[in-house]
Amino acid sequence: MRSRTPDRLCAEAVELARTAAEEAALPGMVGDHVEVAADGDRVVTHYFACEDPGYRGWRWAVTVARASRAKVVTLDETVLLPGPDALLAPEWVPWSERLRPGDMGPGDLLPTEADDLRLEPGWTGEDVPPPNSAVSEEMAELAEAEDADVAAGPPSAQPTTPLRGTIAAVAEELGMRRARVLSRYGLHTAADRWDETHGTKTPMAQAAPASCESCGFLVRIGGSLGQAFGICANEFGPADGHVVSLAYGCGGHSEAAVMPKPPRPSEPVIDETLVDPLPLRHAAGSEDESPAASAEDLGHA
């Protein structure tokens, strides 16, 4: 167990620690001695206030040590550390968590991960019908179960006409069982209005890497308008929840840029056998050399 009582000789080496801090800092940036703390047996850290306005609340930490049975205190390291009231930068947050809907502008690209939960593979080329297809086995079994109680014969021979066999049911499914529906003129005006706000002539579409027609976030709509429009389902896109033209596009295209997996960093290799001395400041007179000295180095008389 390490002792938490500061070593007496190391704790008294305040001037040694102050000199080391003044050599590392700019002139006049080392303040009063704040405290001393024991880091281990015969290892003590002295803290000095930092007077630099850009490092409010920071402290110069100078660690000194003493070998066993030695009376000479040596310098270990000098570093600037934040104190309890230091002004620190906020914790770094990845861009994917900082991004909010509406932050994307013309020319911006929003990469999507390869395993994005909002996307799934499209047609794989197999001839197996999807589970909700009318020709799938599940739908066939469900239809047989629904028709089990229906007697043989035309619909007029049934005690009650099945709802699924009436024209009203078909009209209800097609969305036509209303007093009035949208006319062709109403369809054209709506298409023109949507194309002005989310069409191919907008600045966002002009700077997009691809159109919405090939985007995985596009939700198809039925009817004749579905041939030219869809609904954007990208929550970070500028048109989320809006009807967009198939020729529209933005930087949030699902296939515009797929984020690669970050490479695994190699294990750090530390060579503790070599020491590179780095001077903290230029030596006095190193910059102003006499012409005679320069000529003598070059071999001239």
Side-chain angles (χ1 to χ4, degrees):
M1 296 296 293
R2 291 183 175 181
S3 174
R4 291 304 175 185
T5 302
D7 181 75
R8 182 180 61 83
L9 294 179
C10 292
E12 294 175 354
V14 178
E15 294 302 324
L16 173 64
R18 177 180 292 276
T19 303
E22 291 177 349
E23 291 180 357
L26 295 176
M29 294 301 172
V30 180
D32 299 335
H33 185 266
V34 178
E35 63 174 335
V36 58
D39 297 332
D41 295 338
R42 298 178 301 280
V43 180
V44 170
T45 299
H46 294 270
Y47 293 95
F48 298 90
C50 180
E51 302 296 336
D52 193 335
Y55 290 87
R56 187 181 64 189
W58 289 61
R59 304 182 300 180
W60 286 100
V62 182
T63 303
V64 295
R66 180 176 64 88
S68 177
R69 298 180 182 179
K71 297 182 179 180
V72 178
V73 178
T74 58
L75 178 65
D76 191 356
E77 64 175 355
T78 303
V79 65
L80 184 62
L81 297 177
D85 302 330
L87 181 61
L88 302 176
E91 184 178 357
W92 183 81
V93 180
W95 68 267
S96 57
E97 299 180 11
R98 299 195 306 267
L99 190 64
R100 293 294 180 267
D103 290 347
M104 187 182 304
D108 295 339
L109 291 180
L110 177 61
T112 56
E113 298 181 359
D115 54 351
D116 197 322
L117 297 178
R118 300 171 297 169
L119 300 172
E120 62 181 6
W123 182 63
T124 59
E126 299 180 357
D127 295 334
V128 179
N132 58 345
S133 174
V135 296
S136 64
E137 297 181 0
E138 298 179 2
M139 294 297 294
E141 296 176 358
L142 181 60
E144 292 179 0
E146 291 180 353
D147 297 339
D149 298 333
V150 179
S156 59
Q158 305 297 330
T160 58
T161 303
L163 180 61
R164 58 184 298 182
T166 61
I167 297 179
V170 178
E172 182 73 24
E173 184 177 355
L174 297 177
M176 300 294 293
R177 196 178 181 184
R178 290 170 291 171
R180 291 186 295 178
V181 296
L182 199 62
S183 64
R184 181 173 296 272
Y185 173 77
L187 291 175
H188 280 253
T189 55
D192 293 340
R193 186 172 60 253
W194 296 341
D195 190 71
E196 290 181 0
T197 56
H198 298 92
T200 182
K201 296 181 180 180
T202 59
M204 183 69 71
Q206 294 292 333
S211 62
C212 294
E213 187 176 7
S214 58
C215 182
F217 293 109
L218 180 72
V219 179
R220 294 284 183 174
I221 60 177
S224 59
L225 289 176
Q227 301 177 7
F229 296 93
I231 300 176
C232 178
N234 188 350
E235 60 178 325
F236 298 114
D240 179 39
H242 292 78
V243 178
V244 295
S245 171
L246 298 183
Y248 181 73
C250 69
H253 195 282
S254 60
E255 311 305 324
V258 179
M259 293 179 58
K261 293 185 178 180
R264 178 177 297 179
S266 59
E267 295 293 334
V269 179
I270 302 177
D271 189 357
E272 298 180 349
T273 60
L274 299 178
V275 177
D276 296 333
L278 299 176
L280 297 178
R281 60 181 61 186
H282 295 287
S286 61
E287 296 180 357
D288 299 329
E289 295 182 353
S290 62
S294 301
E296 183 179 359
D297 293 340
L298 296 175
H300 297 288

